[in-house]
Amino acid sequence: QVQLVETGGGLVQAGGSLRLSCAASGNIFNINYMAWYRQAPGKQRELVAQITTGGSTYYADSVKGRFTISRDNAKNTIYLQMNSLKPEDTAVYYCNVARLGRLYWGQGTQVTVSS
């Protein structure tokens, strides 16, 4: 089992910044990748950014140039630095881990961007 704890959400004005953190614990070996998803009210959950164990990254087009995913292997933690936030970034953000064919999810953290 892998446990994920997200922190860092909150309310911010458009143009502002937030940094989300996701700490992994438990059986953290053989993790294939870690990622951030988000789900806005009435919409499907969507992939925001992903980082592999090798450090390769992927970003959704909607966040490219504004969001940065990074990881601290010593702390088993990933981060999502979100800059130039827009009201359409408002959503619950979920940390996600893929390990040996299974997916694990955090509890989610709310990000609200006011116009």
Side-chain angles (χ1 to χ4, degrees):
Q1 292 287 341
V2 177
Q3 292 80 44
L4 303 171
V5 177
E6 301 125 332
T7 56
L11 173 65
V12 65
Q13 288 189 332
S17 298
L18 282 174
R19 189 176 83 153
L20 306 182
S21 300
C22 173
S25 61
N27 203 340
I28 58 174
F29 297 102
N30 296 310
I31 286 178
N32 303 109
Y33 64 81
M34 298 181 73
W36 289 97
Y37 282 72
R38 67 185 181 188
Q39 188 166 19
K43 294 187 177 181
Q44 289 189 332
R45 192 171 295 188
E46 63 175 354
L47 176 62
V48 175
Q50 176 181 297
I51 187 165
T52 68
T53 52
S56 297
T57 57
Y58 163 85
Y59 296 95
D61 287 342
S62 58
V63 307
K64 278 182 183 176
R66 299 188 299 121
F67 291 11
T68 302
I69 189 170
S70 61
R71 63 190 296 164
D72 184 333
N73 291 329
K75 296 181 179 180
N76 299 314
T77 299
I78 63 167
Y79 305 95
L80 187 67
Q81 178 66 44
M82 304 184 293
N83 299 328
S84 302
L85 282 161
K86 304 175 181 180
E88 51 263 44
D89 294 318
T90 295
V92 178
Y93 284 70
Y94 297 91
C95 181
N96 165 266
V97 164
R99 179 183 179 273
L100 299 179
R102 290 190 62 181
L103 298 180
Y104 298 88
W105 296 92
Q107 80 284 359
T109 184
Q110 177 70 46
V111 171
T112 303
V113 184
S114 63
S115 57

